[in-house]
Amino acid sequence: MHHDYSPDNAPSGNRCGHDPKAPRWFVPPPAHAPRPPIISLLIERLRDFYTNPGKIPSLAYVLFGRRATHSDSDRRPRQMRSERREACCSLLGAIAHYCDLPSLCLSVPQTGGSLLPIRMDTLAQAAGLTLRRAERAMRDIIDAGLLGVHPRCERQDDGCYIGRAAIRVVPVALFGLFGLEARLEHERRRI
């Protein structure tokens, strides 16, 4: 989903088109089959982070990609700005949408039972974010412990390596933040 935006009509001085009073949420692609109810519920509850950052404290006060230094321990952590929260909410919605419940991997089931990992550019597009903005939000989400990432590469005949889509795994704890852990286990057993 793409949003109409130009720097001239940015309502709050930012360059991403963010309007603090009207955040843009992840919207499932219309051609996709409906997701299980627990996924829809998780997407809805993830939106609460925008207005109530305390719902996910590890994300609200993440170091924004910086390494912790001794001087950081002396300062009170700064809360995430609203445009960054909007990007994280939208990307988390896309992450939840593409979460395969049995494996908790971000993937699309293929014929024959295999799973095709979701690429970062696909997640960015689904979330309605530029790739760069999605990468920053992804770094925050990973640093907050809300997603596990396992990079992959393949060795070629000439000895060089080529990168493949990383395997991204949603921890059960993400569902647990919203009281959905028991329901998740029930859904996974049922599937």
Side-chain angles (χ1 to χ4, degrees):
M1 177 175 151
H2 293 285
H3 302 287
D4 292 332
Y5 165 75
S6 75
D8 298 332
N9 66 9
S12 65
N14 63 67
R15 301 179 93 43
C16 61
H18 171 66
D19 179 353
K21 294 180 181 138
R24 295 170 295 192
W25 306 119
F26 165 77
V27 177
H32 287 200
R35 302 295 290 136
I38 190 170
I39 295 294
S40 301
L41 184 58
L42 179 62
I43 292 169
E44 181 182 310
R45 290 196 179 166
L46 285 166
R47 291 178 181 168
D48 289 344
F49 173 70
Y50 181 77
T51 54
N52 187 358
K55 294 271 185 181
I56 311 176
S58 65
L59 184 58
Y61 297 102
V62 76
L63 288 170
F64 309 119
R66 295 182 292 119
R67 292 216 181 276
T69 63
H70 180 66
S71 62
D72 285 332
S73 63
D74 299 336
R75 289 187 292 197
R76 187 167 178 249
R78 189 181 77 196
Q79 183 173 293
M80 185 181 281
R81 291 174 54 101
S82 64
E83 59 264 25
R84 194 108 176 204
R85 287 196 316 269
E86 175 190 67
C88 286
C89 285
S90 192
L91 189 60
L92 281 166
I95 287 168
H97 177 77
Y98 284 106
C99 179
D100 173 66
L101 283 179
S103 67
L104 294 180
C105 290
L106 301 190
S107 56
V108 176
Q110 303 295 296
T111 54
S114 65
L115 296 173
L116 178 66
I118 300 294
R119 294 169 23 143
M120 189 63 209
D121 57 339
T122 302
L123 284 171
Q125 183 178 10
L129 303 170
T130 64
L131 182 58
R132 185 69 192 111
R133 192 168 177 223
E135 287 170 342
R136 285 191 299 269
M138 180 64 82
R139 186 175 56 239
D140 291 342
I141 290 166
I142 291 167
D143 289 348
L146 303 177
L147 191 69
V149 178
H150 308 282
R152 297 182 317 144
C153 62
E154 184 178 305
R155 188 173 184 165
Q156 303 297 299
D157 292 337
D158 63 1
C160 294
Y161 288 88
I162 186 167
R164 298 288 181 213
I167 303 216
R168 294 177 178 90
V169 182
V170 176
V172 172
L174 179 60
F175 289 84
L177 283 171
F178 301 99
L180 299 173
E181 196 168 349
R183 186 168 173 184
L184 171 66
E185 291 308 313
H186 171 74
E187 289 291 326
R188 291 178 75 192
R189 278 194 305 271
R190 191 178 62 77
I191 291 173

